[in-house]
Each structure stands twice: as structure tokens, then as C-alpha cells.
Amino acid sequence: MFMKDEFKVKQLAALERQIFDFLGFQWAPILGNFLQIIVVILGLFGTIQFRPRYIVVYTVWTALWVTWNVFIICFYLEVGGLSKETDLMTFNISMHRSWWREHGPGCIRRVVRPSAPGILDDYSYVSVTGCIIDFQYLEVIHSAIQILLSVSSSFLLYLDPGSPFACSLLLLGLSVLKGGCSS
């Protein structure tokens, strides 16, 4: 029961993040979120059906998912020469940015039409003021939640000696658990 609930929470968190990344046309995170949803389903299937290979894939993906989220945190906090102003998250296909940039809590969005001649009528500059929390911190919070969910669920499942997850790792020689598995 605990495992199913933990996987449901991870699915909902990934789905929520997927929605906001779609709204901002953030293609790199969309791809990552899609893979996360697929692998969480695979991990759930692996634990319920007691499939050690699926659980190993899930475990490896969890490490990659944590690494990806650490990268996103570094990206939005501009650590190590990264800049949130680049088109890296959109694969350099578009000028879209985080949806939270213009729609964060308390943000007042004003569209300013350019007055210079020769500029297309549909081109506009968006001015955003009054945000309670800057968009980059919202993105960092999202990534931190993903990291916490991934690490905590894996850690808790790993420590439960009766779980199929821990038993599969034990069978593969990846666990330090001593004792029998109840299946």
C-alpha cells in the first residue's frame, strides 16, 4: 500500500510539472518529465510484479532524475556560468521561457506594443512586476520537491525489508539488507 501511494505522489508531481513546462514550451524538461512518468510506471509495475530488472532500471533512472533536477536548480540559480536567459531548455528552437516568469503568484503582466515603425503588429514586450516570488525560485522549488520525492521514496522502499523493491535489490546483490524477503 505504501509503495503505491509513494508512486502516485511521484506521478502527480511529475504530471503537475509537465503541465507547467508545456505552458512555457520548455521542451527539455517536457522530455525529462515524460520519461519520469514512464519510468515511475515501470518501477511500480516492477515492484508489484517483483521484476528485478525493472526495479534496477527505476533505480538508475532515479539517479539520473536527481542529477537532472540538480542541473535545473543550478541553471535557474545561474551556478557555474549557466544562464537562465539562454534557450537551453527549449533546445534553442524558440524564445519561450518558464511559464512562471509571467504568471507567478502576485505578478502583474503588462503587454507593451512597440511604437517603432517596421515592427510587426503581433510583436510585443511583456513587462512583469509585483511578483511575490521570482520565477527562478519557483522552478528551484519544483526541482527540489522532485529530488526529495525521488530520494525519500527510494530510501524508504530500500529500508523496508519486506518490500519487493528491497528484495529485488537483495536478489541482485545491490542491498546490504540481512534477512529474508516476504513475497
Side-chain angles (χ1 to χ4, degrees):
M1 184 68 171
F2 169 74
M3 288 181 298
K4 290 180 186 177
D5 293 339
E6 193 69 32
F7 281 110
K8 285 179 187 176
V9 169
K10 286 180 78 168
Q11 284 283 54
L12 288 175
L15 184 61
E16 178 267 341
R17 187 168 173 184
Q18 181 79 324
I19 290 168
F20 287 110
D21 287 339
F22 261 119
L23 290 172
F25 299 100
Q26 300 278 320
W27 300 115
I30 287 169
L31 181 61
N33 295 333
F34 176 74
L35 290 173
Q36 169 70 356
I37 291 168
I38 297 299
V39 174
V40 168
I41 292 169
L42 189 67
L44 178 61
F45 179 74
T47 54
I48 291 173
Q49 296 293 318
F50 198 66
R51 308 272 178 149
R53 288 185 183 148
Y54 291 173
I55 294 171
V56 169
V57 168
Y58 173 75
T59 304
V60 170
W61 172 256
T62 298
L64 292 171
W65 184 243
V66 168
T67 304
W68 169 251
N69 281 287
V70 168
F71 169 76
I72 290 178
I73 289 172
C74 292
F75 179 78
Y76 281 108
L77 294 179
E78 297 184 335
V79 174
L82 295 170
S83 174
K84 64 183 175 280
E85 300 303 323
T86 63
D87 294 330
L88 184 64
M89 293 296 176
T90 61
F91 293 134
N92 295 324
I93 323 178
S94 66
M95 293 296 296
H96 290 93
R97 300 282 188 263
S98 171
W99 184 81
W100 294 108
R101 178 179 283 228
E102 298 176 14
H103 302 92
C107 291
I108 299 168
R109 182 177 184 259
R110 281 186 232 124
V111 176
V112 180
R113 300 269 177 213
S115 59
I119 296 179
L120 299 174
D121 289 334
D122 62 346
Y123 176 79
S124 61
Y125 172 75
V126 177
S127 170
V128 180
T129 58
C131 297
I132 295 171
I133 183 169
D134 289 336
F135 77 95
Q136 65 265 24
Y137 300 121
L138 288 169
E139 293 287 355
V140 166
I141 290 168
H142 269 100
S143 290
I145 289 170
Q146 294 292 326
I147 291 170
L148 286 173
L149 286 173
S150 293
V151 171
S152 67
S153 67
S154 297
F155 185 71
L156 291 173
L157 290 173
Y158 179 76
L159 289 179
D160 180 15
S163 76
F165 181 81
C167 292
S168 295
L169 292 176
L170 182 65
L171 291 173
L172 292 168
L174 299 173
S175 178
V176 294
L177 291 174
K178 305 260 194 272
C181 292
S182 59
S183 53

